[in-house]
Amino acid sequence: MKSNSRVYVIGHKNPDTDSICSAIAYADIKNRTDKTKTYMARRAGQINEETEYVLKRFGVRAPGYLPNAGTQVKEIEIHEVPSVPGTISVKKAYSMMKNNNVVTLPITSPDNDLQGVITVSDIAESYMDSYDSHVMSLARTQYRSIADTLDGSVIVGNEHGYFIRGKVVVGAFHPDTMENYIEKDDLVILGNRYESQLCAIEMEAGCIIVCEGAGVSLTIRKLAQERGCAVITTPYDTYTTARLINQSMPISYFMTKENIIEFSEEDYLDDIREIMASKRHRDFPVLDSDGKYIGMISRRNLMNMQKKQIILVDHNEKSQAVDGIGEAEILEII
């Protein structure tokens, strides 16, 4: 049932028998005379003993409690932005953002618990601020992600393994000079020179990336296997490879993990409106009653929200009305 097809019939905050019975009776009349909406009797407070006796005597169920007439998050459009695991690469995350026309992605656990969020701005900053050649190992980048980002393949080693130590080096110099730059566990970007590949492996590199689709000899493959050096091939040149490789890092390294602004589907818009307006974020995660991620909302959603539709019975004073009545659309006063 859509929320804008519901109309709540409700009395005052301290409901007596008149107030409760009026809500029940008028909701029944409206349901029998107007088939375009569903009219639901509600109460704004605790039922007294007299009313409880009357309802029990005639076998009528007490109306449900409506504590606030304001609009709740669950009553507006919640964008079902798919969540992603923190292990996916920056490149894949950005591609998903473009395909889904969003600027924020929620990161969740396998049980759909919210772990963080990443925005287009976060990705831009990660790309512009990549001055540390150790950042890929600090981020624990998976070899398979590196190969996917570079449209390449892992031809030696475990593609599920991780680059966890060392720095990234572009081996664009003579093998005699490379010995001064390459250290144990480094990731080395190379061309098709056999001598350079051999030198990197002998210097105990953790991984070598062979560019321009160059072939890798059986000798190099065997030596790399023996030395525990992963080998990745890519059709890109060394410049393009060096430019793209940071996009293979997992988004968990860049995501916002603390002080995330999130809302419950039970929250009232009147309570969250100022919070949303004070933050630079455009999108905010929404959690269900079990604390699981269900979607995103933005300030734009507040502009198109559907207010609760209310019919007041047995009173006409705002001071006696249900909380949040100023946020509702009053259709009738009986």
Side-chain angles (χ1 to χ4, degrees), residues 82-97 104-109 115-120 122-124 126 135-136 138-142 145 149 162 246-257:
S83 62
V84 297
T87 54
I88 71 168
S89 67
V90 170
K91 180 182 179 181
K92 187 171 291 186
Y94 183 63
S95 177
M96 291 183 67
M97 288 179 178
T104 305
L105 279 183
I107 294 95
T108 59
S109 70
Q115 295 180 320
V117 294
I118 190 165
T119 66
V120 170
D122 294 330
I123 290 177
S126 74
V135 67
M136 283 191 57
L138 292 174
R140 297 182 61 87
T141 307
Q142 193 173 39
S145 291
T149 300
Y162 292 86
N246 277 4
Q247 295 182 25
S248 64
M249 288 188 286
I251 56 174
S252 58
Y253 188 74
F254 303 103
M255 70 182 185
T256 299
K257 305 174 187 177

Side-chain angles (χ1 to χ4, degrees), residues 246-309:
N246 277 4
Q247 295 182 25
S248 64
M249 288 188 286
I251 56 174
S252 58
Y253 188 74
F254 303 103
M255 70 182 185
T256 299
K257 305 174 187 177
E258 300 177 354
N259 301 319
I260 300 172
I261 305 300
E262 60 191 42
F263 300 117
S264 165
E265 62 177 345
E266 302 295 331
D267 287 339
Y268 289 92
L269 301 191
D270 197 39
D271 296 330
I272 70 174
R273 186 176 282 109
E274 289 187 10
I275 298 175
M276 295 177 74
S278 66
K279 302 300 178 182
R280 66 180 181 87
H281 308 302
R282 287 174 54 182
D283 303 286
F284 302 85
V286 177
L287 310 182
D288 65 13
S289 56
D290 295 322
K292 305 296 184 180
Y293 168 78
I294 57 175
M296 306 285 286
I297 59 172
S298 67
R299 288 187 287 269
R300 296 188 301 274
N301 295 109
L302 304 189
M303 299 172 62
N304 301 318
M305 71 177 187
Q306 296 285 343
K307 294 183 177 181
K308 275 191 175 76
Q309 294 185 325

Side-chain angles (χ1 to χ4, degrees), residues 62-226:
Y65 178 50
L66 183 69
N68 195 303
T71 304
Q72 291 175 280
V73 170
K74 64 184 178 183
E75 296 173 305
I76 65 174
E77 181 184 5
I78 298 176
H79 298 304
E80 296 180 358
V81 179
S83 62
V84 297
T87 54
I88 71 168
S89 67
V90 170
K91 180 182 179 181
K92 187 171 291 186
Y94 183 63
S95 177
M96 291 183 67
M97 288 179 178
K98 289 197 298 182
N99 292 338
N100 290 289
N101 194 29
V102 297
V103 296
T104 305
L105 279 183
I107 294 95
T108 59
S109 70
D111 294 328
N112 223 29
D113 294 315
L114 185 68
Q115 295 180 320
V117 294
I118 190 165
T119 66
V120 170
S121 297
D122 294 330
I123 290 177
E125 288 177 11
S126 74
Y127 196 70
M128 297 301 293
D129 294 340
S130 297
Y131 300 114
D132 184 357
S133 59
H134 289 82
V135 67
M136 283 191 57
S137 60
L138 292 174
R140 297 182 61 87
T141 307
Q142 193 173 39
Y143 291 132
R144 182 174 61 179
S145 291
I146 297 173
D148 289 345
T149 300
L150 300 176
D151 293 330
S153 303
V154 179
I155 63 171
V156 175
N158 179 11
E159 67 173 9
H160 301 289
Y162 292 86
F163 176 47
I164 58 175
R165 287 184 296 274
K167 61 185 181 298
V168 177
V169 181
V170 178
F173 21 74
H174 193 274
D176 294 340
T177 310
M178 287 175 60
E179 296 179 0
N180 300 322
Y181 293 90
I182 298 175
E183 298 175 320
K184 179 178 171 60
D185 299 319
D186 283 352
L187 184 152
V188 187
I189 301 172
L190 299 162
N192 61 356
R193 295 179 62 180
Y194 174 88
E195 297 83 359
S196 297
Q197 298 170 14
L198 180 61
C199 177
I201 295 172
E202 290 180 339
M203 294 299 295
E204 299 185 85
C207 175
I208 63 172
I209 299 177
V210 180
C211 300
E212 298 182 15
V216 179
S217 70
L218 291 176
T219 303
I220 291 294
R221 295 189 189 206
K222 182 179 179 181
L223 182 61
Q225 187 76 47
E226 293 172 352

